[in-house]
Amino acid sequence: MLSRVASNLYWMSRYVERAENTARVLDVTWRMSLLVKEPRLQDQEWFAPLNITGTLFPFAGRHKVANAREVLHFMALDPENPSSIYACAKSARENARAVRGSITSEMWEVLNGTWLEIQQMDEDKMLQRGTSTFFDWVKDRSHLFRGVTFGTMRRDDAYHFARLGTHLERADNTARILDVKYHVLLPSVKEVGGAVDYYQWSAVLRSVSAFEAYRKVYRDAVTPIKLAELLILRPDLPRSLHFCVKQAFETLNYVKNDQSEETLRKAGLLLASLQYGKISDIFTKGLHEYLTAFLRSTQEVSNGVQKSFFAPILVE
Amino acid sequence: MAPPVYFNEMYDGGRSVRPHYAAFAEWLRDTPPERIAQNRHAADLLFHRVGITFAVYGEASGTERLIPFDIVPHVIPGADWDMLSRGLAQRVTALNRFLHDVYHDQEILGAGLIPYEQIQSNPQFRPEMIGVDVPGGVYAHVAGVDIVRNNDGKYYVLEDNLRTPSGVSYMLENRKMMMRLFPELFAQQSIRPVDHYPDLLLETLRELSPQGAENPTIVLLTPGHFNSAYFEHAFLAQQMGIELVEGQDLFVQNSTVFMRTTQGPQRVDVIYRRIDDDFLDPQAFRPDSMLGVPGLLQAYRAGRVTLANAIGTGVADDKSMYPYVPEMIRFYLGEEPILNNVPTYVLKKPDDLQYVLDNLAELVVKEAQGSGGYGMLVGPTASREERERYRQRILDSPERFIAQPTLSLSVVPTFVGTDLGDRHIDLRPYVLTGSSTRFVPGGLTRVALREGSLVVNSSQGGGVKDTWVVD
């Protein structure tokens, strides 16, 4: 298929996935912010979503304080922030519009409808109605888009490039969500392992829709180690790093060309490390350090995809 | 001055419903206004959701607008259409013969029927095409011929669009919408179908394969999503199952066109291009163009790729060439024209110029190179100042203009707010030419939404209607 079209499909999916995950990050932050805490730590957790999406710097350039209202505006509805949910909805639609011939009309209608609706929203309404209503809407639209993609698209290259975008973005995002806890300071040392800590880890689990899965797999209280094992190494959880990297690797293997060998190799190495990794090793190394390294690796694979499939190939 | 009399497509002079509108009129009478209002609203929402829009030039980039859609169809009796389609085939055949002639032996010029300077001074004439043989000798594979009906009840050809005529996607979407909202109308009567247009277009394009390959790779070349007709480009590519490409997706090597794919370069055989000649190849035409493909003309001249429509077709649809089309029909086909031309004054002729200057208030004056309804003077509705300003423009360079009597375009009842009012229309049928001539019955009906306005172009606020050929 056309390189430009493959690139548009890939980015279309990435933006949809990113919007959904930003909603999930904000939702988990919101839940954490509702927990009782000392007044001096008020609003502390609102730095977390900025930190994990790497947008603290542009945010600080335009906002004085990081509180619920300001961060929600910046990350949900700010047209100037290229990674806001609003901007993602717009970019996804623009990418889809550029390749309308390669997606089904149902896919286009979902993205176009989402874009038309999100333009009508503002943060006053969002806070009034409860932010969760908004986050649920974002997730619903993303579910709908994935469902319609799955249910209507021929399993050709277009489908595979779209799925590649979804899984690389999701791997990146799950790693970032898992890193939330690192960036959220606990109220005090005595709380570690206590009620607040429990609620925070549960919020992380719920944010990736994995609470029930956790219970089924471990039949145990929520502990950081088990939770990390679930979200990193579990091969059958659709938002785990292992699952996403496996999907991405298989897709890459399907669409591979003369130039993609090195990218495939990198993805394969990453997959092997997840297939044979042990959670105790990861915690010995440090969870935050592990996740940082993981993000670097997925970035390398993304760059490889960009170079081997989307950059113009010249013949000599 | 007596109010102008228009031919009403739906009612005759005594305000009785014409027979071919009877079924619709009955339905209109019996359908509760609430249901009609509801469905009109539903149509707006659907068009918006599906994103059937066109981009607007001169406004913030990416601005998209909906073309207003009216539910009262333009109904054409089957017998009228049969005559029209014969006339269209005849006309487009002659125009194609003319294009071949003008780039080869120029017999029609030699015979003195069209002055040499008409060609030499025409910016749409492409000397690069002289002596180039195109498959089957066909240049205009897709033509959109604008037809109007005057108050004498006769059909006239207003314009032959041979370069990259657009609007066919609206024709198809309008039909889909009407069938969805008012299925009973289609059950009650025999309306000829149009949905197979993409099949006919694909068939036409497949016949153009340069080396007669069994399975030619066909692409649609678009300037990109800022173009006003981008929706149509994407729509047609999707309907035909061919790649929608931009200039950056193609490159030329060894006089062969390739597209960049994720599996490396792939050869392209036929390009349905929706980019004007000027922007097709920066090496041959405008060097500043980013839209085209460097080296495309060279590959084309080498016969390694076919372009639809061919380069240089503009010389035949230029408004200053229009008056000669009946002559072309007689010269190449030895037939009398079936369709009427509108009498046209060519202002570079001194007699015509004098007549037009004396009768500016009754005439429509257009730029020979203009399109989209821009830069024209509608004498009867223009103010004295507007006419004087235009007079000066004409005197400055008369060769740039033509003039025609103001036609009283026919009207069709059209919803304006909640009421029906008579509005002027025109009709653009699409004529496909490959190894044979192909049509779908009808075409795109455009309607001027402002009362009394004769300008139906979408860029000037016009709307569209479904076109029915009924038997």
Side-chain angles (χ1 to χ4, degrees), chain B residues 117-335:
Chain B
E117 102 236 1
Q118 226 15 322
I119 304 296
Q120 280 157 0
S121 66
N122 192 317
Q124 295 301 323
F125 179 71
R126 303 288 175 187
E128 298 86 350
M129 288 297 292
I130 292 176
V132 176
D133 288 320
V134 300
V138 178
Y139 288 75
H141 310 95
V142 184
V145 182
D146 291 343
I147 292 180
V148 297
R149 205 175 206 190
N150 197 14
N151 54 7
D152 55 9
K154 287 189 184 141
Y155 295 98
Y156 289 83
V157 172
L158 201 58
E159 254 179 51
D160 303 287
N161 297 291
L162 303 180
R163 283 169 253 189
T164 57
S166 62
V168 75
S169 54
Y170 301 113
M171 169 185 88
L172 297 170
E173 289 292 341
N174 293 346
R175 175 61 56 87
K176 230 169 36 188
M177 189 63 72
M178 288 296 276
M179 291 185 85
R180 177 168 176 165
L181 296 179
F182 308 107
E184 67 273 25
L185 282 168
F186 291 83
Q188 281 163 8
Q189 52 192 325
S190 160
I191 301 167
R192 296 194 200 172
V194 298
D195 327 33
H196 55 298
Y197 178 86
D199 295 346
L200 297 185
L201 177 57
L202 186 60
E203 222 175 307
T204 305
L205 294 171
R206 286 177 68 94
E207 289 169 0
L208 307 179
S209 180
Q211 66 286 76
E214 283 268 307
N215 233 332
T217 299
I218 304 166
V219 300
L220 192 154
L221 177 61
T222 173
H225 66 272
F226 292 117
N227 185 266
S228 63
Y230 178 73
F231 163 76
E232 171 152 312
H233 304 162
F235 174 89
L236 285 176
Q238 187 173 39
Q239 294 293 310
M240 290 189 285
I242 64 175
E243 293 281 3
L244 177 68
V245 304
E246 297 177 14
Q248 52 172 313
D249 299 325
L250 301 180
F251 67 95
V252 176
Q253 196 165 55
N254 302 326
S255 298
T256 306
V257 181
F258 295 94
M259 58 181 172
R260 301 176 211 274
T261 81
T262 55
Q263 294 298 318
Q266 185 187 336
R267 164 125 193 227
V268 172
D269 303 298
V270 180
I271 302 177
Y272 177 31
R273 51 88 170 226
R274 298 291 299 257
I275 295 182
D276 288 338
D277 288 354
D278 274 344
F279 304 97
L280 264 184
D281 178 354
Q283 283 174 9
F285 305 113
R286 280 177 59 158
D288 58 332
S289 167
M290 307 290 285
L291 301 174
V293 186
L296 182 59
L297 178 71
Q298 177 214 347
Y300 181 54
R301 288 177 51 116
R304 306 279 290 161
V305 69
T306 308
L307 297 178
N309 289 347
I311 293 175
T313 56
V315 68
D317 76 358
D318 177 285
K319 290 187 181 70
S320 67
M321 200 58 78
Y322 166 88
Y324 299 99
V325 177
E327 279 307 311
M328 294 178 199
I329 294 172
R330 292 185 192 102
F331 183 77
Y332 295 112
L333 309 178
E335 298 169 6

Side-chain angles (χ1 to χ4, degrees), chain A residues 1-6 93-94 96-105 108-109 112-113 116 157 161 254-258 308-316, chain B residues 47-53 55 62 64 222 225-227 230-231 234-235 237-238 242-246 248-251 253 258-266:
Chain A
M1 73 179 313
L2 285 179
S3 296
R4 177 180 54 83
V5 172
R93 183 208 182 243
E94 271 173 11
R97 187 167 129 79
V99 295
R100 271 183 70 169
S102 306
I103 58 176
T104 62
S105 44
W108 161 250
E109 285 175 29
N112 194 39
L116 293 174
D157 281 359
F161 276 106
Y254 182 89
V255 298
K256 70 183 171 200
N257 64 17
D258 297 345
S308 27
F309 298 104
F310 307 154
I313 301 170
L314 291 171
V315 280
E316 283 309 325
Chain B
F47 274 122
H48 212 105
R49 191 163 62 90
V50 177
I52 300 172
T53 55
E64 297 158 43
T222 173
H225 66 272
F226 292 117
N227 185 266
Y230 178 73
F231 163 76
F235 174 89
Q238 187 173 39
I242 64 175
E243 293 281 3
L244 177 68
V245 304
E246 297 177 14
Q248 52 172 313
D249 299 325
L250 301 180
F251 67 95
Q253 196 165 55
F258 295 94
M259 58 181 172
R260 301 176 211 274
T261 81
T262 55
Q263 294 298 318
Q266 185 187 336

